[in-house]
Amino acid sequence: MRTLKHPISAPQSSAQFELTSYHYGKPGTGKKVYIQAALHADEVPGMLVAQFLRKRLDALDAAGQVRGEIILVPAANPIGLSQAIHGAPFGRFDLTTGVNFNRAYKHVADELKTKLDGKLGPDAHANVRTIREHALASVAAWQPKSDGEAHKKLLLEMAIDADIVLDLHCDNEAVLHIYAGTPLADAIAPLARLMGAHAVLLALAAGGEPFDEACSRLWWDLQAHFPEVPIPPACLSTTVELRGEMDVSYELAQQDADALVRFLAHAGVLDAEVGQLPAPLCEATPLEGVEPILAPHAGILVYKREMGERLKAGDAVADVIDAANGTVTPVCCTVDGVLFARTAHRHVLRGWNIGKIAGATAFRSGDLLSQ
């Protein structure tokens, strides 16, 4: 195991940020895996999971049981970890630029569509090697204009040529759920079963250029651009939402770390016990089928359904009670699906998102992720 320290700063910046990564196995001897936690720095569950995962990887690496290369970044956002507003952590947006730390990553496929012209052929494995080389060069050529962009470049430099990318997040309040690209549906199914996901949300492009898509979407975008040559979806990149912000416990962290080790063993990266895959808790559904439930007016929010419940169109998710006159307004879903996330606030303003229902039928388009 090697530990690396990476300084983060844009040209002419006076900032002093440092990111730590842990490296296991040997590059070039098998699959490459990249795992990071807390890209949104105020999302703590992944950071605790990473502590348990690091101990497991330390032992497996010392025993020679890593078959490939694994990079673990337990706290992926030192910039966000330094931010606070009125005494509260604030790690979702860069206070300098206002940009979400999980948006605006470089989509290298746009550049590679030109640079790869005439360089791909009938050998899919050779095409993967060529694309990864050019993807790394494209990221290396990125000229950051802010510390936030320098941070994003550093993360992509470690991840964009990986076979597996696991980005550990959490929602406000939620059951465990997973985001991935539609072409990765079959590949992501074992992870969803091992983690106990209540929703698996698929899209070709979620909008906003999040980190996981910066590593995966280039593959199907390039396949669509070069239909005459084989280009597989060579990066299984996913965002794993580890329940809610307050779901921070040793028991859950140990459970999640064990599931991740089993998944990596299933993928052939670790010599570890996989065991029987649990039965799936859900079927994958389109991200375009998620219904955001919005508050009709300001008031006291009282939930009538629990997270993970399967609802029918017309079911009341919650009541919003006007605190001044006592008017009660039921808030109902309009699709069948699973209530997989909701807000932790119990007084809301009009238009606030108070819940998300994973429906089976696509009906939305455009930017599909919350800000």
Side-chain angles (χ1 to χ4, degrees):
M1 187 270 287
R2 294 180 300 127
T3 304
L4 299 181
K5 304 288 186 179
H6 310 267
I8 300 173
S9 65
Q12 287 79 52
S13 172
S14 60
Q16 299 290 325
F17 298 109
E18 185 177 76
L19 181 139
T20 301
S21 61
Y22 296 88
H23 298 248
Y24 302 91
K26 296 180 180 179
T29 60
K31 292 180 180 178
K32 177 179 178 179
V33 177
Y34 176 83
I35 307 170
Q36 69 180 21
L39 181 55
H40 289 141
D42 48 8
E43 295 178 359
V44 178
M47 286 193 281
L48 184 58
V49 170
Q51 305 311 308
F52 284 89
L53 185 58
R54 184 161 65 89
K55 292 177 183 178
R56 290 292 304 277
L57 293 177
D58 286 348
L60 288 164
D61 195 35
Q65 293 176 277
V66 178
R67 301 292 180 235
E69 177 187 10
I70 300 175
I71 300 174
L72 174 64
V73 181
N77 189 355
I79 300 175
L81 285 170
S82 72
Q83 296 183 160
I85 297 178
H86 297 305
F90 188 82
R92 187 173 183 85
F93 298 92
D94 186 341
L95 287 176
T96 301
T97 63
V99 176
N100 188 316
F101 284 112
N102 194 25
R103 303 291 186 273
Y105 283 81
K106 184 176 184 180
H107 184 50
V108 301
D110 295 336
E111 181 181 317
L112 268 53
K113 288 173 184 177
T114 299
K115 293 193 172 182
L116 290 171
D117 193 24
K119 292 184 172 65
L120 304 175
D123 187 332
H125 295 292
N127 290 340
V128 169
R129 288 194 299 270
T130 300
I131 290 168
R132 283 179 174 156
E133 289 170 2
H134 281 77
L136 283 166
S138 178
V139 174
W142 186 5
Q143 297 296 314
K145 296 181 175 62
S146 67
D147 293 332
E149 285 192 354
H151 169 238
K152 290 172 180 176
K153 177 180 178 178
L154 172 60
L155 298 181
L156 272 188
E157 284 177 327
M158 289 190 285
I160 201 163
D161 63 336
D163 297 274
I164 298 172
V165 173
L166 305 176
D167 192 11
L168 306 182
H169 285 251
C170 72
D171 213 307
N172 202 196
E173 288 187 346
V175 287
L176 197 145
H177 56 285
I178 290 174
Y179 295 92
T182 304
L184 303 174
D186 291 340
I188 208 69
L191 177 66
R193 293 170 67 173
L194 287 164
M195 298 296 294
H198 289 262
V200 177
L201 307 167
L202 305 175
L204 287 173
E209 306 295 352
F211 177 82
D212 69 325
E213 280 190 11
C215 299
S216 62
R217 183 161 64 91
L218 70 104
W219 296 98
W220 48 88
D221 277 8
L222 289 174
Q223 178 65 92
H225 186 75
F226 297 107
E228 72 281 2
V229 298
I231 301 175
C235 179
L236 173 56
S237 182
T238 180
T239 295
V240 180
E241 300 279 353
L242 298 170
R243 307 172 194 85
E245 293 176 354
M246 299 302 290
D247 291 316
V248 181
S249 72
Y250 290 131
E251 292 76 18
L252 286 174
Q254 182 71 72
Q255 172 186 313
D256 292 339
D258 289 345
L260 290 172
V261 167
R262 291 176 66 191
F263 173 69
L264 294 180
H266 182 273
V269 183
L270 295 175
D271 286 339
E273 185 66 33
V274 178
Q276 181 89 20
L277 292 184
L281 299 181
C282 66
E283 294 183 359
T285 54
L287 184 55
E288 295 91 338
V290 170
E291 180 181 22
I293 306 298
L294 306 181
H297 56 76
I300 304 160
L301 177 63
V302 181
Y303 283 106
K304 304 175 76 172
R305 299 286 187 162
E306 293 300 319
M307 292 180 296
E309 280 196 60
R310 295 186 175 275
L311 308 182
K312 294 291 186 181
D315 283 349
V317 176
D319 288 335
V320 178
I321 306 168
D322 188 302
N325 60 32
T327 300
V328 179
T329 305
V331 186
C332 303
C333 60
T334 65
V335 302
D336 296 354
V338 176
L339 174 62
F340 68 91
R342 67 189 193 185
T343 181
H345 298 285
R346 293 303 184 263
H347 183 273
V348 295
L349 301 181
R350 183 173 63 87
W352 279 17
N353 189 330
I354 62 173
K356 301 174 188 175
I357 309 293
T361 302
F363 68 95
R364 297 192 300 145
S365 60
D367 285 348
L368 302 171
L369 301 174
S370 60
Q371 297 303 307

